[in-house]
């Protein structure tokens, strides 16, 4: 898959008026949800899953961040959403759902999808379930990345993101060999506003209160797949693939 293809999520990031580069069709498109506290590495795993399985990486956080960079001025609802994001608080369900619903064609993507950062509340999970049930697009699994709290806080505060290609590094765990610049594309690395200590506390509270209950929701639906999220991204990814193989026995797809 080319770099350009890898990074194209135009309809998701810019809204339904934008046209995506057509992804490769998958015989059995993977439809996954990634759960886990902020900083547990969902974005990195979603990217790796995308590269391996061809499924489109759909991150609601990326939509909000893309809105901060666009030339046109954001709508009042989006402006309000960005204010929540800056504080590390959850954006209200109605705003998030409106944004996701108008991008729902992405759920029919012929490459499949990996949802990252959505759903984050029971209301969002119920809305998503209704939509996917109506469209007959069953989820293959919900991967729950598990890590102790203190390790998560360390990951978040040391995380650095490339402003160009969005590659993620860690100041000690996975430093860029190019210092303050990205190894992949040379872009400048920055610390996300919501990775600063005051926002991290708010985000962890929001996770405990609103997102952790989703674990039981998806367990009850028989979709939950717990994965230990310690170790390198490659190790976590290997665990994820093994568990997906065991769960669905789609070894032929994974080996290609
Ligand atoms: P993330 O990159 O997934 O950590 O998201 C960054 C921020 O965007 C979060 O801290 C929230 O402020 C906001 N956000 C992203 N997705 C959601 C969601 N599904 N529900 C509410 N807020 C969200």
């Amino acid at each position: 898959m080319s770099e350009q293809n890898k990074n194209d999520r135009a309809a998701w990031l810019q809204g339904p008026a934008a046209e995506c580069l057509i992804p490769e069709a998958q015989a059995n498109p993977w439809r996954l949800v990634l759960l886990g506290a902020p900083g547990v590495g969902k974005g990195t795993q979603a990217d790796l899953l995308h590269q391996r399985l061809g499924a489109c990486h759909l991150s609601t956080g990326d939509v909000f961040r893309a809105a901060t960079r666009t030339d046109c001025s954001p709508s009042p609802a989006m402006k309000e959403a960005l204010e929540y994001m800056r504080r590390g608080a959850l954006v209200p369900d109605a705003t998030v759902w409106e944004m996701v619903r108008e991008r729902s064609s992405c759920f029919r993507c012929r490459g499949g999808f990996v949802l990252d950062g959505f759903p984050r509340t029971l209301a969002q999970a119920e809305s998503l379930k209704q939509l996917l049930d109506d469209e007959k697009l069953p989820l293959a699994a919900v991967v729950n990345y598990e890590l102790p709290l203190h390790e998560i806080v360390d990951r978040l505060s040391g995380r650095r993101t490339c402003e160009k290609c969005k590659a993620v590094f860690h100041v000690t765990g996975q430093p860029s060999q190019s210092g303050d610049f990205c190894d992949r594309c040379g872009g400048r690395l920055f610390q996300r506003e919501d990775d600063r200590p005051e926002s991290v506390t708010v985000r962890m509270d929001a996770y405990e209160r609103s997102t952790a209950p989703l674990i039981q929701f998806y367990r009850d639906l028989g979709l939950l797949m717990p994965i230990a999220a310690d170790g390198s991204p490659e190790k976590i990814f290997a665990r994820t693939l093994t568990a997906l193989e065991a769960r669905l026995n789609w070894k032929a797809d994974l080996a290609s």
Side-chain angles (χ1 to χ4, degrees):
M1 204 174 293
S2 73
E3 269 303 298
Q4 190 186 19
N5 247 323
K6 195 160 78 63
N7 291 325
D8 181 57
R9 297 175 285 165
W12 180 256
L13 293 180
Q14 296 160 39
E19 273 184 43
C20 282
L21 293 176
I22 309 241
E24 277 172 44
Q26 304 294 320
N28 292 306
W30 287 84
R31 299 188 193 96
L32 300 172
V33 167
L34 306 191
L35 286 185
V40 80
K42 297 189 298 295
T44 304
Q45 294 305 314
D47 201 26
L48 292 169
L49 286 162
H50 159 69
Q51 290 175 41
R52 184 63 175 261
L53 307 175
C56 198
H57 175 184
L58 306 181
S59 150
T60 37
D62 282 352
V63 177
F64 292 131
R65 281 182 288 278
T68 63
R69 290 188 299 270
T70 173
D71 289 341
C72 12
S73 60
S75 67
M78 185 55 92
K79 259 194 193 147
E80 198 197 33
L82 297 181
E83 211 25 67
Y84 280 95
M85 187 173 89
R86 263 188 282 277
R87 292 202 310 271
L90 291 187
V91 176
D93 283 338
T95 311
V96 175
W97 181 243
E98 180 58 23
M99 187 187 90
V100 169
R101 200 188 46 79
E102 68 177 17
R103 291 165 168 75
S104 59
S105 63
C106 292
F107 297 137
R108 291 190 293 276
C109 183
R110 61 190 209 149
F113 61 79
V114 182
L115 271 170
D116 158 24
F118 178 87
R120 247 181 168 100
T121 65
L122 274 178
Q124 292 177 15
E126 276 157 5
S127 300
L128 176 69
K129 179 173 185 320
Q130 187 68 55
L131 191 147
L132 295 180
D133 284 353
D134 290 349
E135 301 260 348
K136 300 196 172 32
L137 296 169
L139 290 173
V142 173
V143 185
N144 184 37
Y145 290 107
E146 300 177 334
L147 196 68
L149 194 71
H150 68 274
E151 286 192 40
I152 293 176
V153 172
D154 174 63
R155 277 198 193 180
L156 282 175
S157 50
R159 183 159 72 174
R160 298 292 181 270
T161 308
C162 171
E163 64 181 6
K164 263 165 90 186
C165 75
K166 304 289 154 280
V168 177
F169 298 89
H170 189 279
V171 285
T172 53
Q174 200 193 355
S176 169
Q177 300 309 308
S178 320
D180 292 339
F181 295 90
C182 175
D183 279 343
R184 282 201 210 165
C185 76
R188 187 178 291 277
L189 302 183
F190 71 105
Q191 181 174 40
R192 280 167 41 171
E193 215 167 345
D194 60 352
D195 281 348
R196 299 196 177 137
E198 57 280 16
S199 301
V200 168
T201 313
V202 179
R203 290 168 73 196
M204 295 315 294
D205 284 353
Y207 170 75
E208 291 291 345
R209 236 177 315 112
S210 306
T211 312
L214 295 190
I215 296 170
Q216 192 58 41
F217 177 86
Y218 284 118
R219 189 181 286 126
D220 290 346
L221 290 172
L223 287 168
L224 197 75
M225 214 181 77
I227 299 288
D230 59 309
S232 68
E234 292 73 25
K235 280 204 180 114
I236 303 166
F237 183 54
R239 276 179 216 139
T240 308
L241 285 185
T242 304
L244 286 173
E245 279 178 358
R247 185 180 168 83
L248 296 174
N249 210 18
W250 285 352
K251 290 194 175 150
D253 281 2
L254 291 170
S256 60

